[in-house]
Amino acid sequence: MYSRLHKCARAGLHHRLTSQHYSTGILKKKESQPRLIQPGKTLHGFLCTEVEHIKEYNMTAYFLVHEKAKTEYLHLERDDSNNVFSVGFRTTPLDSMGTPHILEHTVLCGSEKYPVRDPFFKMLNRSLATFMNALTGPDYTFYPFSSQNEIDYRNLQKVYLDAVFKPNLARLDFLQEGWRLEHSNIEDKSSDLTFKGVVYNEMKGAFSETGSLFGQKFINTILPEGTYGYVSGGDPLHIPELTHSFLKDFHSRYYHPSNSRIYSYGNFPLDANLKFVNEAYLSKYAYLDPKHSIVQPQPRWKSPKRSEITCRVDQYGVPIEKQNQIAIGYVMSDITNIYETFMTLALSELMIIGPNSAFYKSLIEKNISGGYNSLTGYDNQIRDTLFVVGLKDVEASKFEMVESIVNQTLEKIHKEGFEKDHIESVLHGFELSIKHQSPKFGLNLLFNLMPLWNHNGPILNALKVNSLLNQLKSDLMDPKFVKNVIEKNFIQNNHKLTMTMKPDPKFDDLFNEAEARNLATRVKSLTEKQKEDIYKEGVELSVAQKKAQSLEVLPCLKIDEITLNKTAPPIKHTVSETIPLQLCEANTNGVTYFKGVIGTDCLDEAQKELLPFFTYVATKFDTKSYNYRDFDKYVSKTTSGLGFLNHITEHIDQHGQYEQGLVISSHCLDEYLPKMMDIWSEIFSKPDFSNTERMKMLLNNYCSSLSNGVIDSGHTYAMQAARSLISSVDECKEHLMGLHHVITMQEIQKKQPIEQVQATVDQISKMTLNGTNLRAAFHYCNTNADIHLCIDHFCKRLCKGVDNKDMNRINWIDSRTFPKDNRGIHIQMNIPVNFCAKVIPTVPYTDPDYAKLRVLSRFITSKYLHPIVREQNGAYGGGAMLTLDGVFNYYSYRDPNSRVTLDVFDETSEWMTKNTELVDDQNLFEAKLSILQQMDQPIAEYMKGIDLFLFGLSYDIWKTQRERVLAVTKEDLIEVCNKYLSRDKWSGKCVIGEGSKDLKEGGVTWETISGPQQ
């Protein structure tokens, strides 16, 4: 099963970590072997009920049930070294205290066998995991990890299973991770009490993001009965209602093995998994009927309903009078009806995606909004699935018009159906997705199966995509079928909600007042004993957070258990006409992949300002041979779509030089390669940007999209803004990708005539889309016999009529020198948390000190920043990282502090001087291990050699870097810390958020930036 409009539950998944890049190679066909287990047979307490070969993915699925505890187990056996394991639970709260979310955090704070503080984060440095996380959705919580190393896999399995089944759930951990009352000065009983807690601060941040808020309120309103009527992640105004005893009781009922689902994937033996799970845990539990966690289907409404809510003003958004949203949603089929959900997924694409879809034509091209909002699409991740179409940045006076258009569009689809070409293009997308080998295949399967499995759906049948697709092809081509579906699911569907959201300038004040009342009420009701307990617990927690602890009980890989599993990719370099080519024959499963880099150093500053917008519109206009609708059909019927991205990278070993360009990309089935290259030839023949109305509409949609996600990724924006103060490479990135670009585009939209925008976009096209300005990379299968002829034909077309036959070369841009003044940017934003960053320029990737600084970044994250910034000071996250071009970055995420956190960053060198005893052999090895975890990620076949193509990072340079990482000594860490990170070193700083009153104290020159709607 897969979901092309996958949303991971509209209410939001609450991530403990930002997942890393991980990938799996293409799968070899496995020799047929006698199966260890057959249906009806029992192994280690598990009864096998089903065994199915899933030919679509060349894997075998085993479904088992534990005879005693009734735990369900799904194993997907596949010749893939990136093995996955997960244990999940159906968690269905009937309140908004955030119990599942806080429990997710707290179970990872120590267990019976591993009684150390926060073993989850400690294992990040003791493992080669390609993925580690814990996630809470609206009705489930699960704990997935993946690894290529079997010893590591078994280590993580032990820690994860003990965490969920035998957690300590200590009160101090509950206070740290969930919520607590604490004195503003912990040691002063007379100081004010405040709310603190990691999840409490996280959810304050989540509720300040308007898209998340709208999605949460929408699901609560359209599915009001049962668990979906509440906030599983926790409403900040209700989180303080949660008690420690209630949390423990919730664990005993919902984290019981009878309510769990265990998943494994890959080529490690199933037998070992079953044996360990049974003997260590499941055999010790009696069955507990999980009926209390079952989500009942929603009672269907007899008439449609309406709702209105408010949100905060987006200071970096469109004018306030346009910051409104509307969503019209319908409750659809039960998630367990897999064909119905699969078919509705396809219908949603036909109705919503691309210029040939009905709602795009009727709503988006009318240019009455900023485009679709984040709710738009089909949500098949909850029991009662939802179809929603909605708009953002639309004037409130147009709400009635939007509703009328939606109804008219549905009537038109009911009457006329869909064009055959459009249906074929959507079906092709499904077929290509099956052939395309995703870099995260085993995890993607888990993420897509978990919601269905959570409601006891037929998960093995859901994996048989070909049979679903064959039925879909037949049904969608039948006009009567389409007519009946539209009538049943939309026109006659009374379970329909129309929700609108308007900005309220007092929104933040109202929340702050409610929080203050909540705090005052709680403080007023405290007895003297309770006040004394709060004081004592605050001191006790502070002591516990600072106390050194032994981690010897936690498993850790050893140096001799780590092997180098990467080899140099089989790359060939050649030239066709003037175009340099990088060719790689790989096991791409009958799919050909194309990437190209187009130079943009020839553009002036005004053109570069519009370069990101150009990447947005380049494929959305008429071409030489097609109008934009027919061109979209051609692209969709033959390729994965066309990618355009900005590309800025510093020379791998020459500080002061960088390349600026665009990365273009696509892939297709081998037989469609000539057509895919013909499509790119159309683009290189210069799109026609003369359609003024379309350009206006696209400009509005683009500008509306820019401020989305700023709050979710605030630390990334903060680091980027800080780096722009010390590096011209990053100044360029900030202008193209940071908040500077958001503000610039709003000014352009407001002041620049659309004809001028059109002229600039056209100039960019003419100056960059040339065969003499391209270098290209192809990954292909050895079965593609015509690959070289096709590539050569493409290059000849692009270079036809070119007099200069010299090979295209990278035009390196010289960086300008910055004055070495310590500067800071305060980006004011009316949100209740901050994102802090500090950056320091160091050395390029090939410098011997780079590896030392890289190891140091992990050491201080684990031993200094995480304990202080997160555990002691309450930020959701904090750490350090080193960019490819050698800028050392500190960051904090959803942080209640600003000045305090920047001081922590500044004091790194002093801390290291006082704590050199922490730089022992084990801690040094763990820091190295966490870097190897990044470096040894498995590479997808279609990504082999791409680091060389894009960044100049060859396998030999990479291997040298790995060797240098392993060679770093304790003395090296101390030396580079003092050499590069001392307080007096040149640096840039940034804070996004309100910031503290004393933020701008110290020897830093601060600039304050306010959004246009401030």
Side-chain angles (χ1 to χ4, degrees):
M1 184 186 79
Y2 71 96
S3 171
R4 296 180 72 201
L5 298 182
H6 181 67
K7 286 193 184 302
C8 286
R10 249 184 208 98
L13 288 174
H14 313 292
H15 298 260
R16 268 177 86 77
L17 288 182
T18 301
S19 63
Q20 302 165 341
H21 293 293
Y22 47 89
S23 58
T24 179
I26 300 309
L27 285 290
K28 302 185 291 283
K29 292 205 171 179
K30 206 170 181 181
E31 295 286 326
S32 179
Q33 295 178 352
R35 285 178 183 160
L36 176 68
I37 187 166
Q38 300 285 346
K41 301 290 185 182
T42 300
L43 184 66
H44 302 301
F46 283 91
L47 174 67
C48 179
T49 60
E50 294 179 82
V51 178
E52 292 270 5
H53 179 66
I54 311 297
K55 62 181 180 181
E56 290 90 331
Y57 304 119
N58 192 33
M59 68 185 181
T60 301
Y62 298 85
F63 192 81
L64 309 100
V65 179
H66 193 263
E67 292 188 302
K68 186 179 178 185
K70 306 302 180 189
T71 304
E72 294 182 351
Y73 192 116
L74 174 65
H75 176 66
L76 301 177
E77 183 184 65
R78 196 170 188 237
D79 191 18
D80 186 346
S81 63
N82 197 23
N83 287 257
V84 181
F85 186 85
S86 170
V87 56
F89 306 89
R90 187 165 56 221
T91 47
T92 50
L94 295 175
D95 55 63
S96 294
M97 298 187 296
T99 312
H101 188 192
I102 292 171
L103 182 59
E104 172 221 307
H105 281 239
T106 314
V107 299
L108 296 172
C109 288
S111 65
E112 187 177 280
K113 291 181 181 175
Y114 307 104
V116 299
R117 194 173 67 249
D118 214 348
F120 176 84
F121 278 100
K122 303 299 186 290
M123 286 303 295
L124 287 173
N125 295 330
R126 302 169 76 88
S127 161
L128 283 177
T130 53
F131 182 85
M132 280 178 67
N133 218 327
L135 308 101
T136 302
D139 54 15
Y140 58 83
T141 306
F142 67 114
Y143 299 81
F145 69 81
S146 59
S147 180
Q148 301 177 91
N149 183 303
E150 189 167 0
I151 296 171
D152 184 41
Y153 182 87
R154 303 297 170 200
N155 288 346
L156 290 167
Q157 197 173 58
K158 292 173 186 175
V159 173
Y160 264 57
L161 288 171
D162 206 58
V164 298
F165 290 129
K166 296 289 184 180
N168 290 339
L169 298 182
R171 178 165 174 79
L172 288 183
D173 294 327
F174 165 70
L175 297 176
Q176 173 182 284
E177 297 297 319
W179 78 276
R180 65 187 182 275
L181 284 174
E182 186 173 275
H183 289 282
S184 53
N185 181 347
I186 293 173
E187 297 175 358
D188 182 1
K189 291 183 185 180
S190 64
S191 63
D192 293 336
L193 287 168
T194 59
F195 285 128
K196 288 191 177 180
V198 172
V199 170
Y200 184 80
N201 284 327
E202 178 195 356
M203 294 312 295
K204 283 177 69 175
F207 267 62
S208 62
E209 208 284 305
T210 54
S212 298
L213 177 68
F214 198 22
Q216 181 66 68
K217 296 294 185 184
F218 193 90
I219 195 175
N220 295 158
T221 308
I222 197 170
L223 301 173
E225 302 294 325
T227 193
Y228 300 134
Y230 301 95
V231 186
S232 65
D235 182 332
L237 297 178
H238 292 284
I239 287 174
E241 296 166 13
L242 179 62
T243 65
H244 182 223
S245 60
F246 187 91
L247 183 88
K248 291 195 291 183
D249 179 65
F250 190 94
H251 175 270
S252 68
R253 291 184 296 121
Y254 287 90
Y255 276 50
H256 192 280
S258 302
N259 190 45
S260 69
R261 288 154 180 81
I262 299 176
Y263 169 93
S264 56
Y265 162 92
N267 60 9
F268 293 159
L270 170 62
D271 181 81
N273 286 352
L274 298 180
K275 186 174 189 296
F276 176 70
V277 170
N278 174 59
E279 293 179 359
Y281 300 100
L282 303 191
S283 64
K284 300 174 183 178
Y285 287 83
Y287 174 67
L288 177 67
D289 191 341
K291 61 184 179 183
H292 60 281
S293 70
I294 292 173
V295 179
Q296 297 297 336
Q298 200 80 191
R300 296 305 168 104
W301 295 346
K302 294 181 179 178
S303 59
K305 297 186 180 182
R306 315 180 71 83
S307 180
E308 296 180 2
I309 65 169
T310 59
C311 64
R312 58 180 277 272
V313 172
D314 183 353
Q315 296 151 288
Y316 295 85
V318 298
I320 296 174
E321 64 272 13
K322 288 187 177 180
Q323 285 188 26
N324 308 289
Q325 296 199 40
I326 181 171
I328 301 167
Y330 301 82
V331 174
M332 308 297 277
S333 65
D334 192 292
I335 192 174
T336 59
N337 187 335
I338 57 171
Y339 179 70
E340 190 79 11
T341 58
F342 189 74
M343 180 271 297
T344 310
L345 190 63
L347 272 185
S348 67
E349 290 219 17
L350 286 165
M351 296 165 75
I352 291 170
I353 306 298
N356 290 292
S357 64
F359 282 116
Y360 187 95
K361 291 176 182 176
S362 64
L363 283 175
I364 304 303
E365 291 190 340
K366 217 169 198 67
N367 200 16
I368 56 173
S369 71
Y372 292 132
N373 62 20
S374 60
L375 274 75
T376 300
Y378 180 51
D379 185 348
N380 59 357
Q381 305 291 302
I382 50 181
R383 178 71 192 258
D384 300 279
T385 64
L386 303 175
F387 176 91
V388 182
V389 60
L391 298 177
K392 63 185 176 185
D393 295 344
V394 56
E395 293 174 9
S397 61
K398 291 188 169 64
F399 284 162
E400 193 174 323
M401 180 199 297
V402 172
E403 291 184 61
S404 177
I405 291 172
V406 168
N407 292 332
Q408 291 168 14
T409 304
L410 289 170
E411 291 286 355
K412 186 176 181 184
I413 297 171
H414 179 252
K415 182 180 178 181
E416 300 176 6
F418 302 106
E419 294 178 11
K420 184 182 176 183
D421 278 358
H422 191 201
I423 294 172
E424 288 175 350
S425 67
V426 169
L427 292 173
H428 170 262
F430 280 79
E431 291 170 337
L432 182 56
S433 295
I434 295 169
K435 295 284 286 183
H436 170 64
Q437 299 286 352
S438 166
K440 45 190 175 183
F441 185 79
L443 282 159
N444 272 348
L445 282 178
L446 169 65
F447 294 151
N448 284 312
L449 286 172
M450 191 67 195
L452 174 63
W453 192 7
N454 198 46
H455 299 290
N456 304 317
I459 52 176
L460 266 57
N461 287 339
L463 289 167
K464 300 171 188 174
V465 182
N466 284 344
S467 61
L468 294 169
L469 193 54
N470 289 336
Q471 186 179 345
L472 185 65
K473 289 177 182 177
S474 172
D475 286 344
L476 288 183
M477 292 299 181
D478 180 358
K480 288 183 180 178
F481 176 85
V482 173
K483 188 180 185 74
N484 291 338
V485 167
I486 297 297
E487 186 170 333
K488 181 188 79 168
N489 289 351
F490 295 97
I491 295 173
Q492 294 181 356
N493 187 350
N494 285 323
H495 202 132
K496 170 185 175 183
L497 174 67
T498 301
M499 178 178 276
T500 59
M501 181 170 71
K502 299 177 182 178
D504 181 355
K506 296 181 180 179
F507 182 84
D508 297 301
D509 293 336
L510 292 171
F511 173 82
N512 292 335
E513 290 166 9
E515 184 183 39
R517 284 195 304 273
N518 201 0
L519 178 62
T521 301
R522 291 193 169 276
V523 172
K524 187 177 180 180
S525 68
L526 294 172
T527 64
E528 289 304 313
K529 182 181 183 307
Q530 288 172 326
K531 290 178 181 177
E532 182 65 21
D533 288 343
I534 286 170
Y535 168 72
K536 288 180 178 178
E537 284 181 334
V539 173
E540 188 181 352
L541 178 60
S542 178
V543 171
Q545 289 169 334
K546 296 172 184 174
K547 183 181 178 181
Q549 55 181 332
S550 171
L551 302 180
E552 290 181 6
V553 68
L554 280 177
C556 182
L557 278 176
K558 298 179 176 61
I559 189 69
D560 58 1
E561 295 168 345
I562 301 168
T563 56
L564 176 60
N565 54 15
K566 286 186 184 177
T567 56
I571 293 171
K572 296 178 182 176
H573 288 98
T574 184
V575 180
S576 180
E577 297 296 307
T578 69
I579 300 174
L581 299 173
Q582 179 174 299
L583 307 177
C584 184
E585 185 179 297
N587 192 4
T588 59
N589 199 30
V591 179
T592 301
Y593 295 83
F594 162 70
K595 272 189 171 55
V597 174
I598 299 169
T600 58
D601 55 289
C602 55
L603 302 178
D604 62 29
E605 291 307 310
Q607 290 163 344
K608 286 179 181 177
E609 281 183 345
L610 277 171
L611 194 54
F613 179 61
F614 172 76
T615 68
Y616 178 73
V617 302
T619 63
K620 295 181 173 68
F621 281 85
D622 296 351
T623 69
K624 188 175 181 180
S625 309
Y626 301 90
N627 65 49
Y628 69 88
R629 292 197 205 281
D630 288 341
F631 186 63
D632 181 74
K633 287 179 191 173
Y634 186 25
V635 170
S636 299
K637 285 174 71 173
T638 53
T639 78
S640 60
L642 308 182
F644 264 83
L645 291 171
N646 283 294
H647 172 70
I648 306 165
T649 184
E650 192 167 54
H651 198 294
I652 197 72
D653 59 3
Q654 291 293 326
H655 254 336
Q657 290 191 322
Y658 66 97
E659 178 190 21
Q660 183 178 350
L662 301 174
V663 174
I664 59 175
S665 62
S666 62
H667 61 269
C668 67
L669 299 174
D670 286 350
E671 59 263 36
Y672 290 140
L673 180 59
K675 291 183 177 180
M676 182 171 79
M677 303 325 296
D678 178 61
I679 285 167
W680 281 111
S681 296
E682 287 287 329
I683 293 292
F684 275 83
S685 295
K686 316 298 180 298
D688 178 2
F689 297 109
S690 62
N691 186 333
T692 303
E693 290 305 309
R694 184 160 179 76
M695 187 67 81
K696 278 184 189 175
M697 180 270 291
L698 291 170
L699 181 63
N700 285 342
N701 288 2
Y702 178 74
C703 291
S704 287
S705 71
L706 288 176
S707 62
N708 291 351
V710 171
I711 296 174
D712 281 341
S713 304
H715 63 307
T716 303
Y717 281 94
M719 287 187 284
Q720 181 59 68
R723 289 197 298 266
S724 73
L725 301 176
I726 61 163
S727 156
S728 62
V729 180
D730 285 291
E731 183 182 49
C732 180
K733 289 179 182 177
E734 174 68 10
H735 286 183
L736 297 181
M737 305 171 194
L739 281 170
H740 183 280
H741 177 64
V742 176
I743 296 170
T744 298
M745 287 306 300
Q746 287 167 344
E747 285 294 303
I748 288 173
Q749 184 185 25
K750 185 178 178 181
K751 297 179 179 179
Q752 211 171 97
I754 195 66
E755 293 78 12
Q756 188 176 338
V757 173
Q758 283 176 285
T760 304
V761 168
D762 195 54
Q763 288 166 1
I764 295 171
S765 171
K766 288 174 178 173
M767 295 176 70
T768 60
L769 295 177
N770 301 298
T772 55
N773 195 33
L774 172 72
R775 67 178 197 272
F778 289 86
H779 289 76
Y780 54 91
C781 211
N782 59 9
T783 55
N784 193 342
D786 298 328
I787 180 75
H788 299 290
L789 283 173
C790 193
I791 293 173
D792 201 43
H793 179 65
F794 170 68
C795 294
K796 279 183 166 64
R797 283 180 69 179
L798 260 57
C799 298
K800 188 177 180 181
V802 173
D803 294 329
N804 184 0
K805 296 296 183 181
D806 291 341
M807 183 179 74
N808 306 342
R809 299 184 183 279
I810 296 174
N811 292 322
W812 295 103
I813 301 170
D814 291 327
S815 300
R816 69 182 182 86
T817 303
F818 278 60
K820 294 194 174 182
D821 303 323
N822 289 328
R823 294 190 291 153
I825 299 178
H826 178 203
I827 300 171
Q828 288 190 326
M829 196 172 282
N830 55 329
I831 53 177
V833 290
N834 300 296
F835 302 92
C836 307
K838 176 184 177 180
V839 300
I840 302 170
T842 60
V843 293
Y845 188 90
T846 53
D847 189 289
D849 278 356
Y850 183 94
K852 301 172 189 176
L853 285 161
R854 198 170 181 181
V855 175
L856 177 65
S857 72
R858 299 306 306 156
F859 176 81
I860 64 172
T861 293
S862 172
K863 302 302 174 187
Y864 177 52
L865 298 173
H866 178 79
I868 296 178
V869 174
R870 186 184 192 275
E871 294 181 352
Q872 295 177 33
N873 295 346
Y876 187 60
M881 57 173 283
L882 191 63
T883 62
L884 188 67
D885 51 1
V887 178
F888 197 94
N889 294 247
Y890 296 89
Y891 65 89
S892 72
Y893 184 74
R894 288 182 177 165
D895 191 344
N897 307 295
S898 53
R899 175 76 266 161
V900 169
T901 299
L902 294 177
D903 287 343
V904 172
F905 296 163
D906 287 342
E907 291 161 7
T908 301
S909 182
E910 292 97 314
W911 174 85
M912 178 66 96
T913 301
K914 295 174 184 176
N915 293 275
T916 52
E917 76 282 357
L918 288 177
V919 193
D920 58 24
D921 291 338
Q922 180 61 29
N923 288 336
L924 176 64
F925 175 67
E926 289 179 17
K928 293 178 183 180
L929 195 58
S930 65
I931 297 300
L932 294 184
Q933 185 185 107
Q934 299 167 8
M935 298 189 74
D936 291 357
Q937 292 284 320
I939 302 295
E941 294 285 311
Y942 61 87
M943 291 298 291
K944 288 183 175 179
I946 289 300
D947 282 347
L948 173 63
F949 178 69
L950 294 179
F951 311 114
L953 178 53
S954 68
Y955 175 79
D956 288 341
I957 294 175
W958 174 87
K959 189 178 178 186
T960 299
Q961 175 75 197
R962 191 179 187 277
E963 291 165 354
R964 285 174 173 173
V965 165
L966 287 169
V968 172
T969 66
K970 294 180 279 187
E971 293 74 21
D972 288 336
L973 286 200
I974 297 167
E975 178 197 347
V976 294
C977 185
N978 292 327
K979 182 177 179 181
Y980 296 103
L981 305 185
S982 60
R983 188 189 292 267
D984 61 343
K985 295 300 179 185
W986 179 39
S987 66
K989 292 178 179 177
C990 177
V991 170
I992 297 177
E994 293 287 2
S996 58
K997 293 178 181 177
D998 60 348
L999 173 63
K1000 297 171 185 177
E1001 293 178 2
V1004 177
T1005 303
W1006 285 87
E1007 174 190 0
T1008 300
I1009 295 176
S1010 300
Q1013 315 308 332
Q1014 195 83 16

